[in-house]
Amino acid sequence: MSKRKIGILTGGGDAPGLNAVIYTLVRSCQSMFDCELIGYKFGYRGLYNNDFMQLNRDTTSGILHKGGSILYNSNKDNLFNYDVVENGVHVKKDVSDVAIANMKKEGVDVLVVLGGDGTLTSARDFARKGVNVIGVPKTIDNDLSATEATFGFDTAVNIVTDNLGRLHTTAESHHRVLVVEVMGRSAGWICLHAGIAGSADVVLIPEIPYSIDGIVKKINERGANGRPFSIVAVTEGAVEKDGSAVIGKVVEDSPDSIRFGGVAAQIANKLEPLVEHEVRHCVLGHIQRGGDTSPADRILSARYGVKAAEMIRDGAFGNMVCLRNGNMEYIKLEDVLGSGSIGETSAGGAKTVDPNGELVRVAKAMGISFAD
Ligand code: F6P
């Protein structure tokens, strides 16, 4: 195999484990074949601006455990619909050819893209234009059906579980109800796992619409049983029985334009006049993605990194690394994201909680209410 020059980028929001993938990918590529690696900064924006850093053992030393990405993240910057200023006016343009020209100029012949569906949709579209692309899925939400587990999820569950424990002691001391908002967009995995592990009393997930009455019922039951405090864990994208969810804001120029936020505050306001306790809320927010990567996520990321290196060695381009039946495998990007036109992602790729699945049954058996 002739010498490879590999470009890596991390798109979308950060997730604990990105650095561990970079760390492992660099080392395994260098031990498997003759190569040079560079990392584009701020995802696709770096590819457009030809802004990169060298990646080698020295520049990636000591990053295995660190959250975030040494290459930085951007959850905007879709090069197939990019915001450029022409004659003082902002216009959207397909600038993917500029990125391809930059890669050619630097001699980059493989592009490894670490990201969620938005980032990987562009990866698919670059593959269609003849670029040798390898995708590595990333999301703390663990909501991609094409892979059994994504790195960052375990770390987030650990952080949320730890915080539910902390909130328990203060809720108990004040006889309060604490409503805790956790990430997950339209998938309740983080909330369900952490809710079980952290002994939440009520777990609200988008897959099981809730009612305020249902939450009140659980709080009152606990009060009647000598437990005058409760923890309500709610996914940011939780849906009330009337179908409404709380949208924080809409960010144009982003693959996931809807930003959730505010549901915990809304629920707390609705609950307070209905229960005997003071009701407070808490939004865990980006704390869930920060700090060190959990050991399990470091190991999972290392497996993703080594598999990506093996795929480069074997020329398995146009594919995404995935975990299937416990083994690292790969799947066509077209199959993950659909064969729609440029920029279009099929909605079929989402993995959500089965309301009748085992984990929900386990939670219910433990006495957790879904307020359904
Ligand atoms: O998709 C991952 C995620 O962490 C979601 O859980 C959350 O809604 C979203 O990203 C937050 O995005 P941002 O970092 O842009 O606020």
Side-chain angles (χ1 to χ4, degrees), residues 12-15 74-76 116-117 138-143 156 182-187 190 235-237 249 251 254 256 258-261 285-286 288-289:
D14 65 299
S74 163
N75 59 6
K76 299 181 181 169
D117 12 355
K138 165 250 43 153
T139 166
I140 66 163
D141 302 346
N142 202 26
D143 61 347
V182 307
M183 283 184 168
R185 301 186 64 82
S186 304
I190 296 174
T235 309
E236 56 187 358
K249 59 177 175 175
V251 179
S254 172
D256 286 325
I258 292 178
R259 298 283 189 275
F260 290 100
H286 292 90
Q288 293 161 90
R289 304 204 308 231

Side-chain angles (χ1 to χ4, degrees), residues 272-328:
E272 192 140 56
L274 304 175
V275 295
E276 284 176 5
H277 313 276
E278 192 183 353
V279 185
R280 302 291 280 270
H281 78 277
C282 166
V283 181
L284 294 183
H286 292 90
I287 285 170
Q288 293 161 90
R289 304 204 308 231
D292 284 351
T293 304
S294 73
D297 274 338
R298 293 178 208 179
I299 293 166
L300 182 61
S301 304
R303 296 177 71 195
Y304 272 104
V306 172
K307 187 65 188 177
E310 288 171 355
M311 289 162 66
I312 298 170
R313 180 198 61 197
D314 300 342
F317 301 119
N319 292 301
M320 184 193 89
V321 195
C322 63
L323 182 69
R324 264 198 301 222
N325 302 318
N327 299 315
M328 297 314 297

Side-chain angles (χ1 to χ4, degrees), residues 199-271:
S199 301
D201 305 298
V202 180
V203 164
L204 306 176
I205 58 175
E207 296 87 343
I208 304 180
Y210 67 91
S211 72
I212 294 293
D213 288 350
I215 307 173
V216 171
K217 186 166 168 254
K218 179 67 184 176
I219 293 168
N220 289 342
E221 269 170 25
R222 283 177 53 77
N225 289 328
R227 307 270 183 281
F229 66 96
S230 291
I231 302 289
V232 179
V234 55
T235 309
E236 56 187 358
V239 179
E240 212 170 336
K241 283 208 162 163
D242 64 5
S244 61
V246 181
I247 309 284
K249 59 177 175 175
V250 176
V251 179
E252 301 299 342
D253 193 27
S254 172
D256 286 325
S257 56
I258 292 178
R259 298 283 189 275
F260 290 100
V263 66
Q266 192 187 83
I267 290 175
N269 283 338
K270 288 184 181 175
L271 282 180

Side-chain angles (χ1 to χ4, degrees), residues 136-190:
V136 178
K138 165 250 43 153
T139 166
I140 66 163
D141 302 346
N142 202 26
D143 61 347
L144 257 188
S145 62
T147 188
E148 278 160 17
T150 48
F151 53 83
F153 173 67
D154 180 72
T155 307
V157 169
N158 282 329
I159 293 169
V160 176
T161 303
D162 175 56
N163 279 288
L164 291 180
R166 291 170 194 278
L167 292 166
H168 259 100
T169 57
T170 171
E172 187 169 5
S173 244
H174 286 267
H175 287 191
R176 279 176 177 157
V177 171
L178 272 170
V179 186
V180 190
E181 182 170 315
V182 307
M183 283 184 168
R185 301 186 64 82
S186 304
W189 295 110
I190 296 174

Side-chain angles (χ1 to χ4, degrees), residues 338-351:
S339 48
S341 49
I342 298 284
E344 243 180 56
T345 310
S346 80
K351 174 175 70 187

